Amino acid sequence: MGYIDTKKSTKAKVTTVGNTPINVVIAPRSPSGADSESLLTTIFKSVKSLFVGMKVTIGYLVRPSTVVTQQYPENRETLKMFDRFRGQLRLIKDENNYMNCNGCNFCEIACPNGSIVITDQRNPVNEKLELERFLWRLDSCTFCNACLQACPHDALEWSDGFEAAVYDRRLLVYTLNDYAGPPVKAINRAKKKEDRVEELLATMEPRKQYGGPVPLAGRKMPGVPALETENTKDNASPKHK
Amino acid sequence: MNPAELTHTIVFYGLALVSIVAALLVVTVKRIFRAAVALATVLVCGAGFYILLDYDFIAGIQLLVYVGGIVILIVFAVMLTSSLEDTEIRPSKSRKALGIISSLGFLATALIAFQSTSFPLSAPTPEQPSDVALEIGRKLLGYGSDGYVLPFEIISLLLLSAVIGAIVVARNPLKKSSDLSGQSEQSDGSAT
Amino acid sequence: MSFVPGLFHWLCLSTILFSIGLYGVMTRRNAVGVLMSVELLLNSAAMNFLIFNHFAAKPFIDGAVMALFIIAVAAAEAVVAMALFVAIFRSRKTVDVTQIDTLKG
Amino acid sequence: MLENLLTHSAFEILTLSDRAAQALAENPWEAAGYTLLALGGTGAFLSLLGMALIYVERKVAAHFQCRLGPMRVGWHGMLQSIADALKLLQKEDIIPEKADKLLFFLAPVFSIIATVLALIIIPMSPSLQVVDLNIGVIFISAVGGFGVLGILLAGWSSNNKWSLLGAMRAGAQFISYEISVTLSLLVITLLAGSLQLSEIVQSQQDGWWIWRGHIVGVVAFFVFIISSTAELNRPPFDLPEAESELTGGFHTEYSGLRFSFFFLAEFINMFIASALGATLFFGGWMPFHIGGFETFNSIMDLIPPGLWFAGKTAFIVFLMMWVRWTFPRLRVDQLMRLEWKFLLPVGFINLFAAATIVLTKLYFFPGQ
């Protein structure tokens, strides 16, 4: 019994600590306790409980279907991760590869260890702020899910991918967005108004997965080829630099 | 000398050598734990001697009680009263001399006595009871003129009182017995 | 003189073991060491019983019964001795028999 | 030949030591050959059986826990034990600086010697037994003392507090549970009227003692299984090497070959305990016989005795593994309470009951 059943408690008294009176409820003894049982009943029950445990384990032994082990490299093609598995962070994209994220920075604020860095730019067509680069550092991410909870636009999700082994730590810094440009909402709104859609879409410029600014302050590591970088030093440098 | 007799002789002298060396180690080695291991060797050799004398049952009991019980108890006593780095201080010269003189004196006296006495040996190959264990059991519980039931009962009383006495002596008087439940060698009378 | 072990050879063996034990009892300073030497003494005494039984009274096994008694007494003795050593060590922090002499006055 | 097989007298006991003794009078070289065969056979059997048992234990444990166990080396990981043995052999042999090096070296030897000594008197089949001592039951519980002496030596000589604590726990546990094991062995000794293992097996010609001795046999069997599990330091009684409290217990400081000696001894001891249980309670290599039903008995005799022994031993080994992977570890005081307040009185009462049953011949098929 992990709680005190106040209805059953027969004893209650008031004691004083200093000048403060305190109600003390004396918890009743558990009815299933050993005191109220005979020794033989206790022995019988405990022996029976042993057999219950043994029944459970033999059940696992004789039913191979209960095995949960995955033979990983062999079953790579058929391996299906679980619904709640948190592999890698990903931006949700629709069938046209447009994303929901509008660069509102909520996830960056929510992230407890600064694994997300978002830079924005102003779209030259509609003068709105939009996502320029969504950087996610797997190497410092704790997969706490705070970014997903903070996102007001339903723009983030977890993917199944867990094979993130690399030879260079810098490769664990991902640019999550495929393009810099307006979110899908802005595009749809422009489509409804037939309002310079082509021009808006033309502002989208592609982003590469590792195309972001080089972390580790741009240092080169011996034996590792330099990352392919864009010359975006002026306006796209991460904020933490 | 036939092969069986030869084997018998070789085994006897081999065991004797091992057991005398081990016995010397028991009384001279400075690290007390090594002495305990040497004692175990002596006792195992003793069991071997009993087998040579055709008392297999006694040899089994010797192994069971001495190696399985007494040596382990002694090892426990060593573990509880000293640490690995402890070495015994050498006895003083006079004590050593006294020990050597008295033990050698005893040895010499006894050997001279043995040499000069002619023991009434039984026939060279007399019949041994076919089942020694059975015969010992009969003797131990027999209450006739050749029975040992009274000594047997006294021995069992002695063992009982030794067990109880050991528990009483080894119990820590500073603590209540309920505090001891966490200690393996002292809870519930397992000090034996 | 034959080398086949006869009564005299066996008696020599048990007497040598006994005198070694005697030496140990007289010179050991650690109480546990004294106990071990006493075990040597008891062991050689039991062996003596069996030797005489084997060579002098073959059809009977009273010597074996005596050896059993000796083993039982040795067990009882070891139990009590261990309890005493532990108790002494607890109060005096030593089991050196030359140091435990408060009764000397 | 067939008639011979179909009668009980077909079980002629012929141990390796008997053959050696017979040959000694005529041809000493033949005797030496038998001795070598016994030594080499025991050694090979020891290592092969150890590796097989380790593999089986890992597989069974895995499936009890919804896992697969070793799968990579060989088919379904069959060669995993060999790979592990090779790895252990290649490991650096570390002896602690402050250890008592002589005793540190001796400890695993003691352990393995105890195991070998116990192994040689197990009757696996009428013709497959190394020595048939007439004090078999006493011998087997006596050599157990060497094993625990090895553990105590290991704990002491490592000069490590965890090792020492583990060793002392092992010693206390062994001495305590040895009493219960001996009491349950005595029950069968009473029923069979012999200490010799082969005679105990042959006394079960009309039925195994576990059901011929009805209640007494069953109680003795359970006491035996519980206390021998405790003596083997197997979970749920594995306090001497409780990883979560004592890192590795007595073998914390051991590595490489020396560690593998302890490991091997532990698994072979499990086999010995199971084989002993099978021999005493399930008739060893004796087929399933019911006194009086000669036709049934001769059908049962068609299965070779070695298979009967292997099957019964495997069953008890499996029982031990089942228990190990089901129950959590006991506390030290619970362990001691179980022995001194429960198993010991039960064992004594059972022994008295057994004596009464033997005197009044209340067990099944008291004839002969």
Side-chain angles (χ1 to χ4, degrees):
Chain A
M1 256 192 176
Y3 60 94
I4 297 171
D5 192 353
T6 45
K7 280 178 192 168
K8 282 186 182 174
S9 65
T10 50
K11 289 177 188 172
K13 61 174 183 176
V14 179
T15 183
T16 51
V17 177
N19 293 323
T20 323
I22 294 170
N23 288 318
V24 177
V25 179
I26 295 166
R29 285 203 173 253
S30 161
S32 62
D35 293 333
S36 58
E37 278 174 0
S38 71
L39 183 67
L40 278 179
T41 324
T42 316
I43 289 176
F44 178 74
K45 276 192 174 172
S46 24
V47 171
K48 197 181 144 200
S49 73
L50 294 181
F51 282 104
V52 170
M54 290 178 80
K55 200 179 134 199
V56 170
T57 44
I58 197 80
Y60 290 140
L61 182 84
V62 295
R63 285 200 306 274
S65 60
T66 54
V67 169
V68 295
T69 310
Q70 301 286 340
Q71 293 281 301
Y72 162 57
E74 287 88 354
N75 70 349
R76 202 171 174 183
E77 276 72 39
T78 58
L79 183 64
K80 172 119 177 44
M81 297 311 289
F82 311 101
D83 290 343
R84 297 192 293 175
F85 181 72
R86 295 174 189 174
Q88 293 192 12
L89 200 61
R90 187 161 70 182
L91 286 175
I92 295 175
K93 290 157 196 155
D94 66 4
E95 65 275 11
N96 296 323
N97 212 17
Y98 302 150
M99 61 200 178
N100 283 342
C101 180
N102 64 356
C104 68
N105 276 7
F106 275 28
C107 48
E108 181 180 347
I109 295 162
C111 185
N113 40 9
S115 296
I116 294 174
V117 176
I118 290 173
T119 51
D120 291 339
Q121 64 183 18
R122 204 165 279 281
N123 190 292
V125 177
N126 56 6
E127 298 291 308
K128 295 269 173 67
L129 273 175
E130 62 185 24
L131 182 63
E132 196 265 328
R133 194 176 287 279
F134 193 115
L135 287 178
W136 173 60
R137 303 189 52 150
L138 190 151
D139 53 351
S140 68
C141 181
T142 59
F143 305 92
C144 66
N145 212 32
C147 44
L148 263 78
Q149 287 172 342
C151 185
H153 301 290
D154 201 13
L156 285 166
E157 65 177 358
W158 293 108
S159 74
D160 286 354
F162 57 89
E163 294 169 316
V166 287
Y167 284 106
D168 185 352
R169 218 168 52 174
R170 288 173 292 185
L171 292 173
L172 295 175
V173 182
Y174 298 98
T175 305
L176 293 187
N177 50 332
D178 290 345
Y179 63 89
V184 64
K185 265 188 191 167
I187 297 169
N188 288 343
R189 209 179 298 126
K191 271 183 187 166
K192 272 182 198 161
K193 292 189 197 163
E194 296 183 0
D195 180 19
R196 298 197 289 175
V197 184
E198 296 302 319
E199 209 179 326
L200 191 61
L201 292 177
T203 62
M204 303 194 327
E205 44 177 311
R207 288 281 181 268
K208 287 175 183 165
Q209 193 185 9
Y210 296 119
V214 181
L216 305 173
R219 265 188 294 147
K220 285 200 172 115
M221 290 173 78
V224 176
L227 288 175
E228 193 184 336
T229 55
E230 291 171 30
N231 295 324
T232 48
K233 274 186 180 172
D234 43 350
N235 57 351
S237 61
K239 283 173 186 174
H240 64 267
K241 261 185 154 179
Chain B
M1 204 186 274
N2 60 33
E5 211 170 27
L6 183 71
T7 335
H8 189 269
T9 313
I10 291 172
V11 170
F12 173 77
Y13 284 110
L15 279 180
L17 189 69
V18 173
S19 99
I20 288 171
V21 169
L24 283 174
L25 287 179
V26 170
V27 293
T28 52
V29 155
K30 276 204 288 185
R31 291 187 179 180
I32 204 76
F33 203 97
R34 290 190 176 185
V37 176
L39 180 68
T41 317
V42 176
L43 297 171
V44 171
C45 289
F49 289 131
Y50 297 168
I51 290 173
L52 280 187
L53 290 172
D54 296 333
Y55 295 107
D56 300 8
F57 180 72
I58 306 290
I61 296 291
Q62 163 107 350
L63 281 183
L64 185 66
V65 177
Y66 267 116
V67 181
I70 294 177
V71 169
I72 287 177
L73 267 185
I74 288 176
V75 163
F76 258 82
V78 174
M79 281 179 164
L80 288 171
T81 56
S82 56
S83 77
L84 185 74
E85 283 87 7
D86 287 355
T87 51
E88 203 188 21
I89 310 154
R90 287 268 176 231
S92 60
K93 285 255 167 58
S94 58
R95 189 178 282 269
K96 219 173 187 172
L98 190 68
I100 289 175
I101 289 168
S102 57
S103 58
L104 281 184
F106 170 78
L107 182 65
T109 322
L111 288 188
I112 290 166
F114 292 150
Q115 188 71 309
S116 56
T117 316
S118 64
F119 294 102
L121 292 187
S122 48
T125 51
E127 288 191 6
Q128 177 117 358
S130 58
D131 196 340
V132 175
L134 194 72
E135 199 57 34
I136 287 177
R138 290 239 168 82
K139 283 267 181 196
L140 277 181
L141 293 177
Y143 39 81
S145 58
D146 59 343
Y148 288 91
V149 73
L150 185 64
F152 181 76
E153 291 301 326
I154 292 173
I155 287 281
S156 43
L157 267 181
L158 172 76
L159 280 173
L160 182 67
S161 50
V163 167
I164 295 171
I167 294 169
V168 171
V169 171
R171 213 170 63 177
N172 194 341
L174 300 176
K175 286 183 189 172
K176 282 180 185 169
S177 58
S178 59
D179 301 335
L180 291 170
S181 57
Q183 296 176 22
S184 67
E185 67 279 357
Q186 285 172 347
S187 65
D188 297 335
S190 60
T192 56
Chain C
M1 185 173 162
S2 162
F3 284 104
V4 179
L7 177 63
F8 183 69
H9 299 81
W10 281 98
L11 286 178
C12 280
L13 174 71
S14 73
T15 318
I16 289 171
L17 288 181
F18 191 90
S19 10
I20 293 173
L22 202 61
Y23 173 78
V25 170
M26 301 188 85
T27 56
R28 271 288 186 201
R29 295 181 65 145
N30 189 321
V32 185
V34 176
L35 175 66
M36 286 193 246
S37 310
V38 172
E39 295 298 339
L40 275 184
L41 296 184
L42 287 169
N43 188 43
S44 64
M47 197 188 287
N48 240 9
F49 269 110
L50 287 177
I51 290 166
F52 275 113
N53 193 4
H54 178 82
F55 284 101
K58 194 76 177 273
F60 307 104
I61 39 105
D62 298 65
V65 176
M66 281 300 158
L68 267 187
F69 283 152
I70 289 175
I71 291 174
V73 170
E77 175 229 354
V79 168
V80 177
M82 181 200 147
L84 282 177
F85 297 158
V86 172
I88 290 171
F89 184 76
R90 199 180 279 142
S91 62
R92 306 195 52 111
K93 299 290 165 234
T94 180
V95 283
D96 190 335
V97 283
T98 57
Q99 307 276 311
I100 307 167
D101 53 1
T102 36
L103 279 181
K104 240 181 190 171
Chain D
M1 182 67 197
L2 194 64
E3 297 87 71
N4 247 345
L5 270 179
L6 291 183
T7 52
H8 293 169
S9 58
F11 301 128
E12 190 194 352
I13 314 285
L14 200 58
T15 64
L16 281 176
S17 64
D18 287 346
R19 291 174 208 246
Q22 278 172 18
L24 187 62
E26 300 147 19
N27 186 0
W29 293 110
E30 201 185 331
Y34 276 124
T35 317
L36 268 183
L37 179 69
L39 288 177
T42 312
F45 183 72
L46 190 85
S47 40
L48 283 179
L49 183 74
M51 289 201 279
L53 276 174
I54 289 167
Y55 171 74
V56 171
E57 168 103 51
R58 293 179 67 175
K59 272 302 202 193
V60 168
H63 282 275
F64 272 133
Q65 300 175 333
C66 305
R67 296 184 288 114
L68 282 172
M71 289 292 280
R72 301 259 182 245
V73 192
W75 184 78
H76 276 249
M78 294 285 272
L79 305 177
Q80 182 70 49
S81 295
I82 296 172
D84 284 350
L86 288 177
K87 182 202 74 178
L88 274 176
L89 290 181
Q90 289 169 12
K91 279 181 97 169
E92 186 189 355
D93 191 16
I94 299 169
I95 299 180
E97 171 81 29
K98 292 282 177 74
D100 189 335
K101 297 195 176 53
L102 177 72
L103 298 184
F104 193 79
F105 167 75
L106 274 179
V109 179
F110 265 92
S111 254
I112 207 89
I113 280 183
T115 310
V116 172
L117 284 181
L119 196 60
I120 58 172
I121 72 159
I122 301 282
M124 302 189 191
S125 163
S127 55
L128 191 62
Q129 184 181 6
V130 180
V131 190
D132 189 18
L133 292 176
N134 57 354
I135 49 159
V137 173
I138 292 182
F139 178 80
I140 215 158
S141 46
V143 292
F146 286 106
V148 81
L149 195 60
I151 288 175
L152 287 172
L153 281 186
W156 172 265
S157 61
S158 299
N159 202 6
N160 172 332
K161 58 185 167 188
W162 305 128
S163 305
L164 187 65
L165 277 175
M168 292 191 70
R169 282 186 182 185
Q173 193 170 323
F174 180 86
I175 299 180
S176 308
Y177 279 85
E178 178 77 6
I179 304 171
S180 282
V181 169
T182 315
L183 283 179
S184 55
L185 295 185
L186 280 180
V187 168
I188 297 302
T189 312
L190 270 182
L191 289 170
S194 174
L195 287 169
Q196 199 168 353
L197 286 180
S198 62
E199 274 185 27
I200 290 179
V201 171
Q202 285 191 318
S203 73
Q204 309 187 46
Q205 264 189 16
D206 292 333
W208 307 340
W209 284 120
I210 191 158
W211 60 272
R212 258 182 87 190
H214 40 88
I215 301 168
V216 170
V218 175
V219 171
F221 176 69
F222 276 104
V223 170
F224 175 81
I225 281 292
I226 294 172
S227 18
S228 57
T229 312
E231 259 192 51
L232 296 170
N233 300 333
R234 274 178 72 79
F237 307 103
D238 64 334
L239 294 136
E241 44 190 294
E243 307 97 324
S244 45
E245 311 162 28
L246 300 177
T247 58
F250 60 88
H251 58 60
T252 304
E253 298 289 356
Y254 280 85
S255 62
L257 195 60
R258 294 173 213 277
F259 169 73
S260 70
F261 270 20
F262 280 120
F263 202 56
L264 199 62
E266 196 179 317
F267 276 88
I268 302 294
N269 282 337
M270 177 173 75
F271 169 80
I272 289 168
S274 309
L276 196 62
T279 306
L280 296 175
F281 297 96
F282 292 97
W285 44 258
M286 186 63 72
F288 184 75
H289 281 175
I290 301 175
F293 294 80
E294 288 308 321
T295 332
F296 176 78
N297 292 352
S298 37
I299 291 170
M300 282 294 162
D301 285 348
L302 290 178
I303 304 175
L307 272 187
W308 278 104
F309 175 80
K312 291 164 189 174
T313 309
F315 168 71
I316 300 184
V317 166
F318 177 75
L319 201 64
M320 283 185 167
M321 289 179 180
W322 189 3
V323 166
R324 167 172 186 169
W325 295 105
T326 302
F327 301 134
R329 184 184 302 138
L330 270 71
R331 273 197 330 257
V332 176
D333 61 321
Q334 290 170 337
L335 181 91
M336 289 297 166
R337 194 182 307 144
L338 176 69
E339 162 63 19
W340 293 96
K341 290 195 176 167
F342 183 73
L343 288 182
L344 193 63
V346 166
F348 271 120
I349 293 168
N350 199 36
L351 188 62
F352 274 109
T356 321
I357 281 179
V358 170
L359 282 180
T360 53
K361 292 201 184 292
L362 265 176
Y363 53 86
F364 296 131
F365 311 119
Q368 314 256 332

